[in-house]
């Protein structure tokens, strides 16, 4: 082996060498080893958008450090990578680039795979999965069929966000100020038949287990709980006047039911159209509903709207007060919450109060404050706190908090309602009227209705040669070779395939199980492999996925559990949500936002490279292409290499915090790695022929003793920082301190123990840095004389004996004159030192019976006694 060491650190040369070695040696390939501890490390897989960005680099570097560290600690580490490849972004990019989604996606996967390999991530690429590949989604279709058999899937009509121009459904997040995010045309609510997963069947279990996820951030747990949104209350029946219809209302404030003076229905509620039909208000109601259909119907948007509604020409009866209540359709009533009907209590709900004032509706007080009465006519706002029941029949005088249960029980006794629990969570609508997605394996037969595809026909292939229609519309409904089929039940040739595709969240809700046996062809996964590897021990990704992706993954895991396919309910034992990568924005008054390359240094300020005008430096924000405050990883890798890029991503901030970009920080990282290289080079001739020091700390000269002890302390600090907190920034800082201490030993030192101690220190630096900057450390490890990859070396241990602090020498003065010396334990406090000084026999000769005026302990080195 050639131990000749280049004079300068050459990251390009070193990184090419070791990346080739890792790939050729299959060093990251793993298999199940039942007698070995396993550790499944997974970062959320990326959408193949074309290029990796710094957010990817940071996320995957964090994961890679943990994976490499755990491997060196003796774990059998699974660390896979794949591609979340279906979905609307591919279609949008294909339209913009005049290409096909399939070509766009596969080309991007090839490009991104090469980029990820350049950063040196320790992925087992033999386990790579691509969700748009038939061998993946065939098992998704199989699972859909199994869920359908068990009644976990159903189809019904539901309101969706619809863009007429694009002829497609949009998610709430794709509607911006009521407009389509793609074409900026008005979006409306439209009723369409959709497929749903019964996630609400698991609402209680999903909520209960939120308190059994100790390895998850508290903020994510809170977000999940709020999204599930459990509310205890009552469902109350309000019969419609002169009708067989009954309006069912869910409320958490049944104590205020006597104060309900009008009813509000969501515009989508089926009774709005039914009860207004043939009434003088029919046309106005229809117009109002149409107008509200163009509003953003998300809960957040509703809060900002002016409350408006229209009387639908019908009344219902308050079941307890007997009051005749006018029925309105209102823009603040949501079909997605409760039953889509709101019993309006204007005296005790501010939103209802504002609506009643606007439309001149009755206000009835039924809860008064403890201290005074309330007059409905003079109220300027709703009274929403607890109090004493009034105008509430047999419940008058009761505390409103006690009335909650009492009224709920009364409603049940009278058959007018019941106690119930409501969840904000709604069943998961998985239908997408899009092309680039997994086909739903169902058939529509004119005779038999909806019929599942036989398992033997799977996969139902998405025709990847089909061209998108104008506006990105799906070609599937018009593609005869896809749509036309025979009914598997009756054989009819008039049957048609389902042309909706599955929500891309479906693919990402079980991919972690597929990684365990990605090439298995006899089932969705190999049970033994999943039993060994799952659950994921550490999952890493952005907090923007805290709700939907994580919730759907937890739900799917329960489905697989109930189908008898797995033995666990929670997919991720620990979760780390890393912060964003941020950088200041820079803009030119003439040219708008500028890329870093479009800004140059001026005198005294920076200027636009295009026009020479001074630039405006804006806020530090998340890196985004739209604001051009981006650093391309390719440019960074080309200039500094992968190890410097990784080092900066880890050193600039703890992983859960936002990382603020700093060119100076990157330069600092490059200088540090050069220092490590020079340190090793300065000592290489002396240390390559000796073994690391493993003797007694007491046999070392003071300088070597200090370095040896610092090395053990650094190993302990770095181990704790990685093992307990993933605080790589403080771990790196500790290694920097050790490197500084190592530079304090002169390479020409004649002490025969200098080389062994320095070998121990340098080897420790290399081992501790190896998960962080693996290429450099592999090279140094080899140059020191090791034959195998550093990844196969064990993580260094530390000696408690070496960490033991030396005794302190305490000097004692009496009235400023030296009178004694004694040794004390290094952990002794000032009070102990003072007590020992006063008890010292030699000191007593000079203090005698004199009163002690003052005792001063100086830096645990000197005690001055004044008598």
């Amino acid at each position: 082996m050639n131990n000749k060491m280049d004079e300068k650190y050459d990251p390009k040369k070193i990184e090419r060498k070791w990346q080739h070695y890792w790939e050729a040696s299959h060093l990251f390939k793993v298999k199940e080893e039942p007698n070995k501890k396993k550790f499944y490390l997974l970062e959320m897989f990326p959408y193949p958008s074309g290029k990796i960005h710094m957010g990817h680099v940071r996320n995957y570097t964090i994961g890679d450090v943990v994976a490499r560290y755990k491997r060196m600690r003796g774990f059998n580490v699974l660390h896979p990578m794949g591609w979340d490849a279906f979905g609307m972004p591919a279609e949008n990019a294909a339209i913009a680039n005049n290409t096909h989604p399939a070509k766009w996606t596969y080309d991007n996967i090839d490009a991104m795979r090469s980029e990820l390999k350049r950063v040196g991530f320790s992925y087992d690429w033999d386990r790579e999965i691509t969700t748009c590949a038939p061998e993946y989604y065939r098992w998704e279709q199989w699972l859909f069929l199994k869920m359908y058999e068990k009644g976990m899937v159903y189809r019904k009509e539901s309101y969706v966000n619809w863009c007429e121009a694009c002829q497609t459904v949009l998610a709430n997040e794709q509607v911006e100020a009521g407009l389509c995010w793609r074409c900026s045309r008005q979006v409306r609510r439209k009723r369409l038949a959709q497929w749903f997963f019964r996630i609400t069947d698991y609402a209680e279990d999903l909520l209960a287990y939120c308190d059994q996820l100790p390895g998850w951030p508290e903020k994510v747990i809170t977000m999940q709980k709020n999204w599930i949104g459990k509310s205890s209350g009552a469902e109350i029946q309000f019969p419609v006047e002169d009708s067989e219809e009954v309006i069912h209302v869910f409320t958490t404030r049944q104590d205020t039911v006597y104060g309900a003076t009008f009813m509000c229905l969501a515009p989508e509620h089926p009774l709005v159209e039914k009860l207004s039909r043939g009434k003088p208000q029919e046309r106005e109601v229809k117009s109002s509903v149409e107008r509200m259909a163009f509003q953003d119907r998300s809960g957040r948007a509703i809060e900002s709207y002016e409350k408006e509604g229209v009387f639908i020409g019908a009344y219902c009866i308050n079941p307890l007060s007997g009051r005749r209540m006018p029925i309105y359709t209102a823009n603040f009533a949501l079909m997605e919450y409760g039953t889509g009907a709101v019993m309006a209590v204007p005296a005790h709900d501010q939103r209802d109060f504002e609506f009643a004032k606007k439309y001149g509706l009755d206000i009835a007080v039924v809860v008064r404050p403890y201290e005074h009465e309330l007059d409905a006519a003079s109220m300027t706002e709703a009274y929403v706190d607890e109090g004493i029941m009034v105008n509430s029949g047999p419940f008058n005088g009761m505390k409103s908090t006690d009335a909650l249960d009492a009224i709920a029980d009364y409603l049940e006794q009278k058959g007018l309602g019941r106690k119930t629990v409501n969840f904000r969570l709604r069943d998961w609508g998985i239908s997408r009227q899009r092309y680039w997605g997994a086909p739903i394996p169902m058939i529509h037969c004119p005779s038999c209705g909806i019929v599942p595809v036989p398992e033997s026909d799977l996969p139902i292939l998405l025709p990847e040669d089909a061209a998108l229609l104008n506006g990105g519309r799906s070609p599937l409904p018009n593609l005869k070779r896809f749509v036309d089929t025979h009914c598997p039940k009756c054989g009819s040739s008039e049957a048609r395939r389902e042309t909706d595709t599955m929500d891309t969240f479906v693919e990402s809700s079980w991919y972690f199980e597929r990684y365990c046996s990605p090439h298995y062809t006899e089932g969705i996964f190999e049970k033994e492999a999943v039993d060994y590897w799952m659950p994921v021990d550490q999952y890493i990704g952005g907090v923007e996925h805290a709700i939907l992706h994580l919730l759907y993954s937890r739900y799917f895991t329960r489905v697989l559990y109930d189908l008898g396919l797995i033995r666990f309910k929670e997919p991720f034992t620990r979760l780390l949500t890393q912060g964003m990568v941020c950088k200041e924005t820079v803009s030119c008054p003439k040219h708008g936002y500028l890329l870093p390359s479009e800004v140059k240094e001026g005198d005294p300020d920076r200027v636009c490279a295009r026009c020479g005008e001074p630039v405006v430096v804006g806020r530090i924000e998340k890196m985004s292409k739209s604001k051009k405050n981006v650093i391309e990883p390719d440019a960074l890798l080309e200039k500094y290499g992968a190890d410097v890029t990784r080092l900066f991503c880890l050193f600039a901030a703890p992983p859960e915090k936002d990382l603020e970009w700093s060119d100076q920080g990157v330069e600092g990282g490059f200088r540090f790695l050069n220092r490590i290289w020079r340190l090793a080079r300065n000592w290489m001739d002396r240390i390559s022929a000796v073994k690391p020091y493993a003797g007694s700390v007491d046999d070392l000269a003071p300088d070597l003793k200090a370095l040896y002890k610092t090395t053990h302390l650094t190993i302990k600090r770095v181990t704790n920082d990685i093992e307990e907190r993933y605080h790589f920034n403080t771990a790196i800082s500790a290694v920097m301190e050790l490197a500084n201490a190592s530079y304090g030993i002169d390479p020409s030192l004649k002490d025969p123990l200098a080389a062994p101690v320095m070998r121990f220190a340098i080897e420790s630096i290399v081992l501790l840095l190896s998960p962080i900057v693996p290429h450099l450390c592999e090279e140094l490890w080899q140059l020191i004389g090791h034959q195998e990859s550093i990844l196969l070396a064990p993580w260094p241990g530390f000696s408690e004996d070496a960490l033991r602090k030396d005794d302190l020498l305490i000097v004692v003065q009496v009235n400023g004159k030296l009178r004694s010396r004694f040794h004390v334990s290094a952990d002794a406090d000032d009070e102990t030192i003072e007590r020992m000084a006063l008890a010292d026999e030699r000191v007593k000769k000079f203090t005698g019976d004199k009163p002690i005026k003052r005792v001063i302990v100086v830096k645990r080195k000197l005690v001055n006694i004044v008598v």
Side-chain angles (χ1 to χ4, degrees), residues 279-309:
K279 304 286 177 62
Q281 295 84 3
E282 182 177 8
R283 181 174 294 179
E284 185 184 2
V285 170
K286 188 173 182 180
S287 173
S288 180
V289 168
E290 282 290 324
R291 185 175 69 256
M292 285 187 260
F294 283 104
Q295 293 180 333
D296 183 348
R297 300 287 293 152
S298 64
R300 185 179 299 174
I302 293 295
E303 289 299 318
S304 65
Y305 290 158
E306 181 183 351
K307 310 304 179 280
E308 62 172 337

Side-chain angles (χ1 to χ4, degrees), residues 612-682:
E613 291 295 315
V615 299
V616 177
V617 178
R619 293 185 305 156
I620 294 170
E621 300 183 51
K622 176 185 176 183
M623 285 189 180
S624 70
K625 291 179 181 178
S626 63
K627 295 187 177 178
K628 297 189 176 182
N629 61 333
V630 293
I631 297 292
E632 293 293 346
D634 271 352
L636 207 60
L637 294 171
E638 191 63 31
K639 184 175 181 180
Y640 295 105
D643 282 342
V644 172
T645 303
R646 293 167 61 113
L647 182 69
F648 174 75
C649 286
L650 298 167
F651 184 56
E656 71 277 7
K657 302 292 186 183
D658 288 350
L659 182 156
E660 183 180 331
W661 188 263
S662 163
D663 293 333
Q664 293 79 9
V666 178
E667 286 282 354
F670 186 62
R671 287 195 301 272
F672 171 63
L673 295 192
N674 273 280
R675 288 195 81 221
I676 298 298
W677 182 266
R678 289 195 302 273
L679 175 67
R681 191 173 187 277
N682 291 344

Side-chain angles (χ1 to χ4, degrees), residues 233-251:
E235 186 177 288
I236 306 175
Q237 301 165 15
F238 290 77
V240 177
E241 187 179 65
D242 301 326
S243 169
E244 297 293 315
E245 299 291 347
V246 175
I247 298 173
H248 296 267
V249 170
F250 171 79
T251 179

